[in-house]
């Protein structure tokens, strides 16, 4: 198999397609989102840790674009239906263990991660999906609500190139009920991710 291409976005994290980095906030569609009740951290329903991360990154304006839905959207399909976007516009944040070391992979909602490609990319001996307790310990969030950045610890992050197919993608805001929109290049930059090709190819 050809060597995986690897590039880092200048200046600017076998996948489970049902586990989504997206969650949700008020119904509707479009990148602008419905305004929240307040621009203050946490007022939008985002996880406090993530809300604080937005402020630290100078992204206070994003608080009003976070959407909250009454029911959890733990799968990419549910999140896409709630937001009103294409499945591939959902950005999943998936935690893997490469030789026991956590690594975050950002993948579009319509695709699966090819674990072998991730292994080759990292030069690891073995790559597996991280267990729920490892995900929470590493990121500070539960599976189904993991955002692409604003984590408890710093980990290596890989972002699949497929995310760049859209002008806007939606990712979790730290809970299974909230999502936020962002241009993929900007999201990859804030995540400190390396742009790679680790999507499982379909026939």
């Amino acid at each position: 198999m050809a060597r995986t291409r690897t590039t880092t976005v200048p200046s600017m994290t076998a996948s489970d397609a049902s586990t989504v980095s997206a969650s949700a906030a008020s119904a509707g569609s479009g990148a602008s989102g419905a305004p929240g009740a307040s621009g203050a951290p946490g007022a939008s329903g985002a996880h406090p840790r993530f809300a604080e991360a937005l402020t630290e990154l100078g992204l206070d304006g994003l608080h009003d674009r976070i959407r909250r839905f009454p029911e959890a959207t733990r799968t990419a399909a549910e999140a896409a239906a709630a937001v009103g976007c294409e499945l591939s516009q959902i950005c999943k944040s998936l935690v893997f263990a490469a030789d026991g070391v956590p690594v975050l992979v950002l993948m579009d909602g319509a695709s699966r991660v090819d674990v072998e490609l991730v292994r080759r990319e990292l030069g690891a001996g073995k790559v597996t999906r991280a267990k729920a307790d490892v995900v929470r310990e590493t990121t500070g969030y539960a599976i189904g609500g993991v955002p692409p950045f604003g984590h408890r610890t710093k980990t290596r992050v890989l972002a699949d190139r497929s995310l760049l197919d859209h002008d806007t993608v939606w990712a979790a805001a730290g809970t299974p009920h909230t999502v936020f929109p962002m241009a993929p290049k900007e999201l990859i930059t804030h995540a400190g991710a390396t742009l790679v090709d680790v999507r499982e190819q379909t026939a």
Side-chain angles (χ1 to χ4, degrees):
M1 179 176 291
R3 177 181 174 81
T4 304
R5 291 183 301 154
T6 305
T7 57
T8 301
V9 176
S11 71
M12 285 275 226
T13 131
S15 161
D16 180 0
S18 68
T19 303
V20 67
S21 72
S23 316
S26 48
S29 63
S32 61
S38 169
S44 59
H47 189 289
R49 182 189 302 277
F50 184 67
E52 182 177 345
L54 291 181
T55 298
E56 292 177 350
L57 291 169
L59 298 173
D60 287 313
L62 195 59
H63 289 297
D64 288 339
R65 302 178 69 192
I66 293 174
R67 295 189 184 183
R68 178 175 179 80
F69 294 93
E71 296 184 2
T73 52
R74 294 181 182 277
T75 70
E78 290 173 345
V83 172
C85 68
E86 294 181 26
L87 181 58
S88 58
Q89 283 183 270
I90 298 300
C91 174
K92 299 183 293 187
S93 296
L94 306 170
V95 181
F96 291 82
D99 294 335
V101 179
V103 58
L104 183 69
V105 177
L106 302 182
M107 177 61 69
D108 77 85
S111 302
R112 296 173 64 88
V113 174
D114 187 320
V115 177
E116 175 59 18
L117 291 180
V118 173
R119 186 191 70 77
R120 294 180 184 182
E121 184 65 43
L122 298 174
K126 182 178 182 181
V127 173
T128 60
R129 282 296 297 274
K131 295 182 178 180
D133 59 335
V134 174
V135 172
R136 185 182 287 276
E137 177 65 22
T138 300
T139 68
Y141 309 94
I143 292 176
V146 180
F149 52 85
H151 295 180
R152 178 177 179 274
T153 63
K154 185 175 179 59
T155 59
R156 184 169 180 180
V157 185
L158 304 179
D160 190 77
R161 199 178 305 276
S162 61
L163 292 170
L164 299 179
D165 291 343
H166 300 282
D167 293 330
T168 300
V169 293
W170 294 81
T175 79
H177 298 271
T178 52
V179 290
F180 70 96
M182 182 172 281
K185 286 186 178 180
E186 183 180 2
L187 184 149
I188 291 169
T189 295
H190 289 306
T194 299
L195 197 61
V196 297
D197 293 303
V198 293
R199 175 172 47 174
E200 186 176 281
Q201 298 300 313
T202 56

